[in-house]
Amino acid sequence: MDHNSEIPSFRNVLAAAERISDSAHRTPVITSSYFDQKTGGRIYFKCENLQKVGAFKFRGACNAIFSLSDEEAQKGVATHSSGNHGQAVAYAAKLRGIQAHVVMPEYAPKLKVNAVKGYGANVVRCENSMESRQSVLEEVLNKTGATFIHPYDDARVIAGQGTAALEFLDEVPDLDFILTPVGGGGLLSGTAIVAKNHPQTVRVIGTEPETVNDAYRSFKAGEHIIDGNGETVADGLRATLGKLNFRIIHRDVNDIVTVTEEAIISSMRTFWERTKLIIEPSCAVPIAALLENKIDVAGKKAGIIITGGNLDLDKLPWQV
Amino acid sequence: MDHNSEIPSFRNVLAAAERISDSAHRTPVITSSYFDQKTGGRIYFKCENLQKVGAFKFRGACNAIFSLSDEEAQKGVATHSSGNHGQAVAYAAKLRGIQAHVVMPEYAPKLKVNAVKGYGANVVRCENSMESRQSVLEEVLNKTGATFIHPYDDARVIAGQGTAALEFLDEVPDLDFILTPVGGGGLLSGTAIVAKNHPQTVRVIGTEPETVNDAYRSFKAGEHIIDGNGETVADGLRATLGKLNFRIIHRDVNDIVTVTEEAIISSMRTFWERTKLIIEPSCAVPIAALLENKIDVAGKKAGIIITGGNLDLDKLPWQV
């Protein structure tokens, strides 16, 4: 199987779940009456902020790294990441006992850079552009022979991310909706594969910041558009939509909606206040979609995958 | 039974647990390997930040208000509080369908004042001094005939707070230590009553900010000292030790230790980062006591009651 061009199957997600089962947490699902009252539905949150390394990204990285042959593994792994994927690769490599190299842009939060280093990975800094990330990564790959673990445009990573939805639907089988944020599309595409193979009907909704809406535009146009992204407080969603991810999203996702920066920030704060759980700004995108009535879930059950809880606590998004 | 002069018994705590069982959450107990590694012990956290109104205070207020006769109840209840007790009384009164009056000082965080109002209580502002609290409260009591629900110096409140330790020891029966913060002493005294009636030996340790150490000084001197308190970031612990509380603490508590403001702030931040759970500064006092080696728990099981998760998110303690 070519991990860069072949779409993973539901069977690959089941295999991923088996492969990572001893290493990843089965994270809790919580409810909070405030969100039910505000939406008229019953809202469930799958808490991947309580996952290893504080983010769902551990699932995909762990599946990819545990899938490597011993020959591949001994040369190590490398990736580029503004944060959570870097931590995920660093920690999964540590579990396998191999070296990880993580290329991180200047804007990556200090907390995430320190965490990656803390897991024993080699951090290589680059500039904030995608071009710089890729050229610095190429150097690392050429020098080390390491295997590149793409943050999202990789069948093994997508299958790994799908395991969150697998657990979610195992715990709440009659969800009418699953909402996830979409950046590169790893989580949304993995979730969609699982939802379309669920015995009951589940509508899968991607949610994206208005200012970084390449997935929304691609979905609506039916073709992969990657230009024209701006800035967002949801730093985990700045990546552009992947190729494999677009193909799956185009095929299996029901809709993508966008939300404003203001809605993201206020929804994040509301979630902190109501649940006492720390979530990073990206997580607040699907919450904002519900609180701003972008999707009508009245009388329905809606599940949101809370993607991570890593952020710089020195300055919160509502503190200007 | 005179609630202002008689010490509650273990039997009163059991009755409280029954009385509040339909209204209060049985909160989860969590662990986090970071704290085990740092202390060499096994550390358990009882998450009362996930309790109704976001704090253990709901237990005591609910027990007191649900204990009132119908004649007493119809005149309403009143209290003074810098925060969580006010919310607790307001919400418990709402559940019973009676009016609550809450006297709140100027320094009370906006979030807490708004929450009290949100539960339908009548908020009466006063100055920051204890004298002002009491004189304003007297006015309210005289005008309304409401029953005063003291934040901690009340047998019904103490019995209610004890129910947290009851659940904690039910879930982890072989705890060697239970640590709580001490302000007025409601939680610590209720916890001590429960621990001393547990079949296995549990050492009960109070933890207090160095700058507000009246409980520490009272405990060491063996007499009730209430003067000489300073300022602390742990705003929930500014209250002076209660009379009933002192008698119980003097009788049943094993030790009280103090921690610095710096240790409180850094421990709070570490807990946020490691567990993704929001705790208010008061909760960090017992955590700081462990991380600063004020108590040796190596090879032992230690339980910390996490008291609440309500704080003003506009300015965090580490943001100067």
Side-chain angles (χ1 to χ4, degrees), chain A residues 14-144:
Chain A
L14 295 175
E18 178 68 25
R19 194 174 287 121
I20 71 173
S21 62
D22 288 344
S23 307
H25 288 307
R26 186 181 172 100
T27 53
V29 172
I30 67 155
T31 59
S32 171
S33 57
Y34 174 83
F35 297 96
D36 296 353
Q37 287 160 15
K38 283 285 171 188
T39 62
R42 181 80 173 137
I43 315 301
Y44 298 83
F45 300 97
K46 171 80 171 161
C47 294
E48 289 292 301
N49 56 333
L50 305 179
Q51 185 52 267
K52 293 278 175 71
V53 314
F56 78 91
K57 294 271 187 179
F58 178 67
R59 295 175 181 272
C62 187
N63 186 51
I65 290 171
F66 285 18
S67 301
L68 296 176
S69 69
D70 288 343
E71 289 83 338
E72 289 171 315
Q74 70 180 5
K75 291 180 188 161
V77 289
T79 196
H80 57 78
S81 169
S82 60
N84 286 334
H85 177 65
Q87 288 188 59
V89 166
Y91 184 58
K94 184 184 175 184
L95 289 181
R96 178 131 191 205
I98 63 176
Q99 180 65 54
H101 308 274
V102 182
V103 176
M104 301 189 83
E106 287 162 1
Y107 69 65
K110 193 176 63 184
L111 183 76
K112 297 187 180 181
V113 175
N114 288 342
V116 168
K117 289 180 180 167
Y119 294 127
N122 172 35
V123 170
V124 187
R125 300 308 291 259
C126 68
E127 292 170 27
N128 285 338
S129 69
M130 258 302 162
E131 293 70 30
S132 170
R133 280 197 193 199
Q134 274 156 359
S135 68
V136 173
L137 177 70
E138 283 299 328
E139 283 176 42
V140 171
L141 294 175
N142 288 336
K143 206 164 63 184
T144 62

Side-chain angles (χ1 to χ4, degrees), chain B residues 23-318:
Chain B
S23 306
H25 287 307
R26 186 182 171 98
T27 52
V29 173
I30 67 156
T31 60
S32 171
S33 57
Y34 174 84
F35 298 97
D36 296 353
Q37 287 161 16
K38 283 285 170 188
T39 61
R42 181 81 172 137
I43 315 302
Y44 298 83
F45 301 97
K46 170 81 170 161
C47 295
E48 289 292 301
N49 55 334
L50 305 180
Q51 186 52 269
K52 293 279 174 67
V53 313
F56 78 91
K57 293 271 186 177
F58 177 68
R59 295 174 181 272
C62 187
N63 185 50
I65 289 172
F66 285 19
S67 300
L68 296 177
S69 69
D70 288 342
E71 289 82 339
E72 290 171 314
Q74 70 181 6
K75 292 182 188 158
V77 288
T79 196
H80 58 77
S81 168
S82 61
N84 286 334
H85 176 66
Q87 288 188 58
V89 166
Y91 184 58
K94 184 184 174 183
L95 289 182
R96 179 130 189 205
I98 63 177
Q99 181 66 52
H101 309 273
V102 182
V103 177
M104 301 188 83
E106 287 163 1
Y107 69 66
K110 194 176 61 182
L111 183 76
K112 296 187 180 180
V113 175
N114 288 341
V116 168
K117 289 180 181 168
Y119 295 127
N122 172 35
V123 171
V124 187
R125 301 308 291 258
C126 68
E127 292 170 28
N128 286 337
S129 70
M130 258 303 161
E131 292 71 31
S132 170
R133 280 195 193 201
Q134 274 157 0
S135 68
V136 173
L137 177 70
E138 284 299 330
E139 283 175 43
V140 171
L141 294 175
N142 289 337
K143 205 164 60 183
T144 61
T147 301
F148 175 38
I149 310 291
H150 193 283
Y152 46 87
D153 206 349
D154 178 304
R156 300 161 299 189
V157 171
I158 294 168
Q161 317 304 29
T163 62
L166 202 63
E167 290 174 10
F168 206 172
L169 286 167
D170 183 53
E171 189 152 341
V172 192
D174 55 347
L175 284 178
D176 298 294
F177 295 91
I178 295 186
L179 286 76
T180 80
V182 51
L187 180 65
L188 180 58
S189 56
T191 300
I193 289 167
V194 170
K196 294 305 129 178
N197 283 278
H198 190 61
Q200 293 159 261
T201 302
V202 192
R203 285 178 66 81
V204 177
I205 313 289
T207 60
E208 199 175 30
E210 263 182 24
T211 52
V212 184
N213 66 345
D214 57 311
Y216 170 81
R217 287 179 288 130
S218 299
F219 182 79
K220 294 297 179 187
E223 59 176 327
H224 193 192
I225 302 165
I226 59 167
D227 63 319
N229 275 347
E231 271 303 304
T232 176
V233 66
D235 59 281
L237 305 180
R238 284 177 187 145
T240 50
L241 187 64
K243 290 194 202 72
L244 275 181
N245 313 91
F246 171 70
R247 284 165 53 197
I248 300 165
I249 289 168
H250 180 57
R251 184 187 71 181
D252 290 342
V253 166
N254 295 96
D255 202 2
I256 296 183
V257 299
T258 62
V259 294
T260 64
E261 295 294 292
E262 293 70 27
I264 296 169
I265 294 169
S266 71
S267 298
M268 175 179 165
R269 182 170 182 154
T270 298
F271 192 86
W272 280 39
E273 290 177 352
R274 294 288 167 172
T275 68
K276 312 302 176 194
L277 280 171
I278 293 173
I279 59 171
E280 56 190 55
S282 304
C283 307
V285 173
I287 302 170
L290 288 189
L291 293 181
E292 303 275 306
N293 296 310
K294 297 285 183 165
I295 306 145
D296 181 9
V297 297
K300 305 284 187 185
K301 291 189 175 181
I304 287 179
I305 299 180
I306 293 294
T307 49
N310 299 323
L311 76 164
D312 219 326
L313 294 173
D314 285 321
K315 189 152 180 269
L316 304 178
W318 47 81

Side-chain angles (χ1 to χ4, degrees), chain A residues 226-239:
Chain A
I226 59 167
D227 64 319
N229 275 349
E231 271 303 306
T232 177
V233 66
D235 60 283
L237 305 181
R238 284 175 187 147

